[in-house]
């Protein structure tokens, strides 16, 4: 039974995830869910961030797994190969995602780290492409990548493949502009499941809030909701904000379209936009500015929170303001 489950998930990780991404992409473009905000500059940013890191980071991680780890831990290869499949998946899932939660959170709370993560928040839209929109240096130092690779070296290779497929699906769906979680809030029979779901994994409503351009409306919350696969970390560490609504504006309020190469590889390349956080003489953190009407989406609310727990908002100190 376990072998059959592993085989199914391995196959899904091989081609199923690619099919999912393709379907999401077609749907997003077909229904115009990017709201015509995917201009030429933003296309180049997304395409560069999707392709170039794969040419740089994957070989680097492969070298680390195939050369560095055997050199520094020569007697530990496959040490954990005795661990049962499901426990291996649990170890990988917790180790990988909890490490990423703190890596992500630090890039919002430590001012000098913010600019390495800023690219992921600069777009004024949400969509499948957002999941890989990252500064290459931020990607190279992904701490969870090296921890998971070490666990693979120690014998948890198959669980890592399975968790990667599940996590990739959840994070892509959470960034997608398709509000797949909306029915859970609309239909009363699904409300108990919604309560569990939104506190366990990242959903569009909770993760879109993290990408909001402002926190003034009670919906947007870029100061929290840091979870990637598991939203549970935000619940545990007090950084969760659940409103069951979507923000009216995404991105960074003072963003003026920094060049793709600056967003991909700052500080190696600097932005030519005067006053930008990525410019040569730019500030470390720039203050937010009032949003203009053209920056607003005005999406349809999902649902009003039913309980005080659903309205709970755990605040941090402002990071971008």
């Amino acid at each position: 039974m376990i072998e059959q489950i592993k085989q199914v998930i391995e196959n899904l990780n091989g081609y199923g995830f690619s099919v999912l991404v393709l379907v999401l992409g077609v749907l997003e473009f077909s229904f115009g869910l990017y709201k015509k905000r995917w201009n030429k500059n933003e296309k180049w940013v997304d395409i560069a961030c999707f392709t170039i890191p794969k040419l740089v980071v994957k070989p680097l991680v492969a070298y680390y797994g195939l050369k560095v780890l055997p050199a520094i831990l020569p007697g530990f290869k496959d040490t954990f190969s005795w661990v049962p499949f499901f426990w291996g998946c649990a170890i990988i899932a917790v180790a990988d995602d909890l490490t990423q939660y703190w890596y992500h959170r630090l890039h919002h709370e430590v001012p000098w780290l913010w600019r390495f993560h800023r690219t992921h928040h600069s777009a004024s839209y949400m969509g499948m492409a957002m999941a890989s929109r990252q500064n290459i240096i931020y990607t190279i130092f992904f701490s969870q990548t090296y921890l998971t690779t070490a666990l693979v070296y120690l014998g948890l290779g198959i669980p890592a493949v399975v968790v990667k497929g599940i996590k990739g699906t959840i994070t892509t769906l959470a960034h997608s502009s398709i509000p797949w979680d909306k029915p859970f809030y609309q239909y009363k029979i699904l409300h108990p499941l919604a309560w569990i779901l939104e506190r366990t994994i990242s959903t569009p409503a909770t993760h879109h809030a993290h990408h909001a351009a402002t926190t003034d409306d009670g919906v947007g919350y870029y100061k929290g909701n840091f979870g990637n696969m598991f939203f549970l970390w935000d619940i545990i560490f007090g950084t969760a904000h659940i409103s069951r609504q979507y923000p009216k504006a995404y991105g960074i309020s003072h963003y003026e379209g920094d060049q793709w190469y600056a967003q991909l590889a700052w500080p190696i390349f600097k932005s030519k936009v005067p006053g930008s956080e990525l410019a040569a003489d730019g500030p470390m953190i720039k203050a937010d500015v009032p949003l203009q009407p053209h920056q607003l989406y005005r999406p349809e609310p999902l649902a009003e929170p039913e309980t005080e727990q659903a309205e709970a908002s755990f605040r941090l100190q402002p990071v971008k303001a």
Side-chain angles (χ1 to χ4, degrees):
M1 179 65 176
I2 292 178
E3 289 300 322
Q4 291 176 332
I5 294 174
K6 288 193 289 187
Q7 188 63 43
V8 169
I9 298 180
E10 283 185 64
N11 289 335
L12 287 174
N13 191 52
Y15 60 82
F17 182 66
S18 298
V19 172
L20 171 66
V21 170
L22 177 62
V23 170
L24 282 179
V26 171
L27 288 174
E28 287 180 338
F29 283 109
S30 298
F31 293 103
L33 296 178
Y34 282 94
K35 304 294 183 180
K36 298 182 179 179
R37 293 167 186 258
W38 208 40
N39 58 37
K40 184 177 180 181
N41 184 67
E42 302 313 309
K43 289 177 183 178
W44 276 111
V45 174
D46 289 342
I47 292 171
C49 290
F50 180 79
T51 57
I52 296 177
K54 286 179 170 54
L55 301 176
V56 176
V57 178
K58 283 196 172 183
L60 181 64
V61 174
Y63 181 82
Y64 167 74
L66 296 174
K67 297 293 183 180
V68 176
L69 288 174
I72 62 177
L73 299 172
F76 290 88
K77 183 173 175 59
D78 293 332
T79 302
F80 293 162
S81 59
W82 59 270
V83 176
F85 171 69
F86 286 112
W87 280 111
C89 289
I91 292 170
I92 291 287
V94 171
D96 183 285
D97 206 55
L98 181 56
T99 304
Q100 187 172 2
Y101 167 87
W102 283 105
Y103 184 80
H104 183 193
R105 179 172 172 174
L106 286 173
H107 280 76
H108 279 269
E109 295 186 338
V110 178
W112 69 270
L113 290 176
W114 160 245
R115 287 177 288 185
F116 292 103
H117 183 53
R118 179 183 182 272
T119 302
H120 190 60
H121 285 265
S122 61
S124 62
Y125 51 83
M126 287 297 291
M128 171 190 67
M130 287 295 299
S132 59
R133 182 178 170 127
Q134 299 281 10
N135 176 294
I136 193 170
I137 296 176
Y138 180 88
T139 304
I140 287 174
F141 287 98
F142 261 156
S143 51
Q144 72 279 3
T145 300
Y146 301 98
L147 175 59
T148 299
T149 302
L151 290 172
V152 169
Y153 173 74
L154 293 174
L156 300 182
I158 294 178
V161 170
V162 171
V163 172
K164 178 184 176 183
I166 295 172
K167 182 173 182 175
T169 300
I170 292 173
T171 55
T172 299
L173 288 173
H175 285 89
S176 173
S177 57
I178 300 171
W180 59 265
D181 55 344
K182 190 173 181 179
F184 290 95
Y185 307 130
Q186 285 185 321
Y187 300 106
K188 192 171 183 178
I189 193 174
L190 296 177
H191 287 179
L193 182 58
W195 193 94
I196 297 172
L197 183 71
E198 66 193 359
R199 285 162 175 77
T200 306
I201 65 171
S202 291
T203 63
T206 55
H207 199 69
H208 281 217
H210 178 69
H211 282 266
T214 180
T215 61
D216 297 337
D217 58 1
V219 177
Y221 196 55
Y222 57 68
K223 294 174 284 186
N225 292 16
F226 301 116
N228 293 276
M229 176 166 60
F230 294 127
F231 191 73
L232 183 63
W233 309 130
D234 289 286
I235 299 295
I236 293 173
F237 297 111
T239 55
H241 176 64
I242 300 173
S243 70
R244 296 186 174 181
Q245 299 181 52
Y246 284 98
K248 292 182 179 180
Y250 296 102
I252 302 172
S253 61
H254 51 266
Y255 176 64
E256 297 179 3
D258 299 288
Q259 295 78 20
W260 67 269
Y261 50 82
Q263 299 208 57
L264 173 70
W266 181 92
I268 299 173
F269 300 109
K270 305 293 197 304
S271 172
K272 295 180 181 178
V273 177
S276 168
E277 293 163 328
L278 304 185
D281 56 351
M284 189 177 297
I285 297 178
K286 191 173 180 179
D288 281 338
V289 298
L291 296 175
Q292 302 301 313
H294 71 276
Q295 294 177 288
L296 302 178
Y297 272 140
R298 302 193 184 284
E300 178 186 353
L302 294 179
E304 292 300 325
E306 289 189 348
T307 65
E308 291 184 5
Q309 271 186 308
E311 298 180 68
S313 171
F314 305 92
R315 299 292 177 175
L316 297 176
Q317 292 300 311
V319 174
K320 295 195 297 183

